[in-house]
């Protein structure tokens, strides 16, 4: 399945919840793997230890889920952060409870996440326990994967969707190069939607690469699903459609 809007909620300890979240996230797309032994991470006897769970996405970048405070202190929050080319990027806080709890407390904890993907593209949105996706989110990511061409963009602002942010290349040959996307259609066609069969990546104002299964379109409502010619598309922003793989 390449469209998942998931609320991960479990009544148990914090470790139970994080293991459930990790299982749901890695099950959502086989390109996402968990690098951390979660049992060992929660068994750390150092009272100052900050629990950190690391996910790898297609050997392109990593996602860190970091407990807001040390293991011996109560919290209601984890921070989520992207690591691109071994550099930690800005983070955002994800609340899982309305009140602080210790790791061993039995309570119902919840995160929400959304994943839209196809053969080349992975888009993820993460939100608090009390937010409804895709209307509200705290952190979002978009990556594109092709042989010898891997890029990722991220945003920790509701005002900036990753698809409109700068993309950072992560493959060895051109690591660190910066790309942007551009919309070739900037007008409204009312209820009619026209699709340009690729979305160009721009470097120094020159289109250098077309992303497959990521489409330019006339203005659409972000967060909506469109069915066009029997194909499903998710509008990640007002001018970008991600083809949903059946």
């Amino acid at each position: 399945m390449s469209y998942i809007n998931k609320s991960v909620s479990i009544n148990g300890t914090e470790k139970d919840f994080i293991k459930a979240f990790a299982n749901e996230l890695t099950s959502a797309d086989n390109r996402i793997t968990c690098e951390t032994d979660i049992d060992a991470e929660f068994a750390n006897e150092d009272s100052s230890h900050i629990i950190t769970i690391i996910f790898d996405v297609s050997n392109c970048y990593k996602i860190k889920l970091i407990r807001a405070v040390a293991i011996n202190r109560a919290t209601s929050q984890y921070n989520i952060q992207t690591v691109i080319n071994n550099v930690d990027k800005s983070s955002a806080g994800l609340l899982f409870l309305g009140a602080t709890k210790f790791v061993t407390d039995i309570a119902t904890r919840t995160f929400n996440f959304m994943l839209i993907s196809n053969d080349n593209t992975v888009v993820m949105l993460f939100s608090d326990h009390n937010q409804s996706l895709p209307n509200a989110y705290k952190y979002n990511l978009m990556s594109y994967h092709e042989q010898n061409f891997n890029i990722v963009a991220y945003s920790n602002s509701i005002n900036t969707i990753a698809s409109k942010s700068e993309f950072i290349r992560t493959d060895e040959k051109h690591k660190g190069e910066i790309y942007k996307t551009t919309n070739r259609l900037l007008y409204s066609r009312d209820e009619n939607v026209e699709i340009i069969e690729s979305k160009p990546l721009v470097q120094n104002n020159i289109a250098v690469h077309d992303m497959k299964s990521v489409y330019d379109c006339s203005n659409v409502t972000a967060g909506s699903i469109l069915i066009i010619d029997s194909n499903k598309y998710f509008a990640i922003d007002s001018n970008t459609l991600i083809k949903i793989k059946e």
Side-chain angles (χ1 to χ4, degrees):
M1 180 183 292
S2 59
Y3 174 82
I4 294 171
N5 192 343
K6 184 75 177 180
S7 180
V8 182
S9 184
I10 187 170
N11 184 263
T13 66
E14 193 173 308
K15 183 179 76 171
D16 295 332
F17 166 64
I18 292 299
K19 290 179 77 171
F21 172 78
N23 180 66
E24 292 290 351
L25 186 62
T26 55
S27 297
D29 192 293
N30 61 15
R31 287 168 289 193
I32 305 172
T33 58
C34 183
E35 294 187 341
T36 304
D37 183 331
I38 296 174
D39 287 325
E41 190 69 4
F42 276 86
N44 194 305
E45 295 182 355
D46 181 355
S47 63
S48 64
H49 179 64
I50 302 293
I51 291 170
T52 303
I53 312 300
I54 301 175
F55 301 92
D56 179 87
V57 184
S58 196
N59 295 317
C60 175
Y61 61 97
K62 297 182 189 298
I63 300 170
K64 283 185 180 179
L65 196 63
I66 307 167
R67 199 171 193 271
V69 297
I71 196 169
N72 67 323
R73 294 174 58 193
T75 188
S76 62
Q77 178 176 310
Y78 273 71
N79 296 319
I80 189 166
Q81 180 177 57
T82 309
V83 183
I84 304 175
N85 295 331
N86 297 317
V87 176
D88 291 347
K89 300 299 182 179
S90 56
S91 62
L94 295 179
L95 297 174
F96 58 69
L97 281 173
T100 57
K101 297 286 184 180
F102 290 98
V103 292
T104 55
D105 288 344
I106 303 298
T108 299
R109 300 168 171 88
T110 302
F111 279 153
N112 299 309
F113 78 90
M114 177 179 281
L115 182 139
I116 308 98
S117 66
N118 53 50
D119 290 342
N120 299 97
T121 311
V122 180
V123 174
M124 287 179 279
L125 287 75
F126 299 92
S127 77
D128 284 341
H129 71 286
N130 59 351
Q131 291 179 310
S132 176
L133 288 167
N135 300 320
Y137 48 86
K138 285 292 188 70
Y139 204 80
N140 67 96
L141 298 151
M142 178 178 174
S143 57
Y144 179 79
H145 311 272
E146 201 174 329
Q147 187 175 8
N148 300 320
F149 190 94
N150 291 286
I151 54 170
V152 59
Y154 71 97
S155 175
N156 61 352
S157 170
I158 186 65
N159 298 315
T160 307
I161 188 73
S163 54
K164 291 188 174 181
S165 305
E166 67 177 22
F167 285 80
I168 304 171
R169 195 160 172 180
T170 65
D171 53 275
E172 288 297 328
K173 190 174 181 180
H174 297 278
K175 184 179 289 187
E177 289 184 356
I178 302 299
Y179 298 80
K180 296 182 182 297
T181 62
T182 184
N183 296 307
R184 288 180 286 197
L185 297 175
L186 296 176
Y187 54 87
S188 174
R189 292 174 56 86
D190 299 319
E191 70 275 9
N192 297 316
V193 177
E194 181 177 343
I195 297 177
I196 301 296
E197 289 292 314
S198 65
K199 191 169 184 68
L201 288 166
V202 174
Q203 189 179 48
N204 299 324
N205 296 322
I206 299 172
V208 295
H209 193 93
D210 279 349
M211 291 192 283
K212 301 171 184 175
S213 298
V214 181
Y215 303 100
D216 273 356
C217 61
S218 54
N219 292 338
V220 294
T221 302
S224 60
I225 294 178
L226 288 73
I227 300 176
I228 305 170
D229 296 331
S230 299
N231 293 313
K232 286 185 179 179
Y233 301 86
F234 180 80
I236 189 68
D237 65 53
S238 59
N239 288 90
T240 308
L241 297 179
I242 307 298
K243 188 173 184 180
I244 298 174
K245 184 179 178 183
E246 296 297 334

